[in-house]
């Protein structure tokens, strides 16, 4: 596709061209613009712009803050089924799960499913108490505090969490999930002096 404009001692040609790369056989389509000028008895290229076709660049999948928060409900609903396979399928292909009650990082489908085989026996149901959402290009983060009620015993467990979601194969999946018990329940509340020292360290 070519669109030509002619002026006094200059001309413009803009449109779409395609390259065949002999080394690989790949074909690459791009947009182009040339501006030619008549210089020293010859037509020379004064300006040349070449860029990939914009539709070939993945666009961001739109998602709102509330929709990010609702992704937790999909995971929580999977917990309610008691099926570890359904829960594990909420995670992306290269997901990492750092679970609350296991020292083992779960870095693939089988390991993630294995964790939930045991965890689901407690009949957990979660509720987010505090949520902080950040949205990027085909990813989103939700971090905060949640609480689980264990249906098997009635126990309640509060923990800190972070989820990173990615848009994969037409769905939002969990790429990273870190869950840890509240530290003050184990280490105790920091004294004012300790808290002040931590703040100073954080500002360095």
């Amino acid at each position: 596709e070519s669109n030509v404009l002619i002026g006094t001692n200059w001309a413009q040609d803009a449109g779409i061209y395609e390259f065949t790369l002999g080394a690989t056989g790949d074909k690459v389509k791009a947009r182009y613009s040339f501006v030619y000028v008549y210089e020293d008895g010859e037509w020379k290229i004064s300006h040349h712009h070449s860029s990939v076709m914009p539709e070939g660049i993945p666009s961001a999948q739109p998602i709102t803050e509330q929709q990010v928060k609702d992704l937790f409900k999909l995971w929580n609903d999977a917990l309610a089924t008691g099926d570890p396979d359904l829960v594990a399928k909420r995670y992306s292909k290269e997901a990492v799960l750092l679970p609350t009650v296991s020292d083992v990082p779960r870095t693939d489908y089988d390991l993630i499913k294995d964790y939930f085989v045991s965890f689901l026996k407690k009949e957990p149901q979660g509720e987010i108490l505090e949520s902080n959402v950040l949205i990027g290009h085909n990813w989103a983060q939700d971090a905060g505090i949640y609480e689980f009620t264990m249906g098997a015993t009635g126990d309640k467990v509060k923990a800190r969490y972070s989820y990173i979601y990615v848009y994969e194969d037409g769905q939002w999946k969990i790429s990273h999930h870190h869950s840890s018990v509240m530290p003050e329940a184990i280490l105790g509340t920091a004294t004012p002096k300790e808290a002040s020292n931590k703040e100073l360290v954080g500002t360095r």
Side-chain angles (χ1 to χ4, degrees):
E1 179 182 327
S2 171
N3 301 275
V4 173
L5 185 64
I6 299 174
T8 302
N9 286 339
W10 66 268
Q12 175 184 286
D13 184 5
I16 297 171
Y17 53 17
E18 183 177 71
F19 290 93
T20 299
L21 306 181
T24 62
D26 293 341
K27 291 183 179 291
V28 180
K29 190 178 290 186
R31 299 180 298 177
Y32 74 85
S33 61
F34 291 95
V35 175
Y36 302 96
V37 295
Y38 195 69
E39 179 181 276
D40 298 331
E42 294 183 84
W43 286 98
K44 299 287 186 72
I45 300 168
S46 172
H47 164 89
H48 179 198
H49 184 146
S50 184
S51 60
V52 297
M53 303 296 285
E55 292 181 2
I57 302 172
S59 59
Q61 179 67 21
I63 191 168
T64 66
E65 180 175 337
Q66 186 57 53
Q67 287 172 328
V68 173
K69 293 179 179 181
D70 288 343
L71 293 173
F72 172 80
K73 296 178 182 178
L74 295 177
W75 179 80
N76 200 39
D77 288 346
L79 293 183
T81 68
D83 186 343
D85 177 66
L86 288 179
V87 181
K89 286 179 178 176
R90 293 304 314 157
Y91 292 80
S92 67
K93 296 170 185 174
E94 298 183 358
V96 174
L97 166 63
L98 302 176
T100 315
V101 292
S102 173
D103 292 341
V104 180
R106 310 296 173 132
T107 56
D108 60 32
Y109 168 82
D110 290 331
L111 288 172
I112 292 171
K113 180 180 176 181
D114 175 71
Y115 173 75
F116 286 108
V117 167
S118 299
F119 186 62
L120 290 179
K121 291 177 182 178
K122 304 176 187 291
E123 301 177 11
Q125 272 296 278
E127 177 187 4
I128 288 181
L129 305 180
E130 179 184 326
S131 170
N132 301 276
V133 171
L134 184 65
I135 297 172
H137 185 97
N138 286 340
W139 65 266
Q141 173 185 286
D142 185 5
I145 297 170
Y146 52 17
E147 184 175 67
F148 287 94
T149 300
M150 305 300 176
T153 62
D155 292 344
K156 289 183 180 289
V157 179
K158 190 179 291 186
R160 300 180 297 178
Y161 74 85
S162 61
Y163 290 96
I164 295 177
Y165 301 98
V166 295
Y167 194 69
E168 179 179 278
D169 298 333
Q171 296 183 66
W172 286 98
K173 297 289 187 73
I174 301 166
S175 174
H176 167 88
H177 180 193
H178 187 164
S179 184
S180 60
V181 296
M182 303 297 283
E184 291 182 6
I186 300 172
L187 303 175
T189 304
T191 65
K193 183 178 180 180
E194 289 173 336
S196 177
N197 288 339
K198 290 175 182 177
E199 289 173 2
L200 290 173
V201 169
T203 59
R204 290 177 185 175

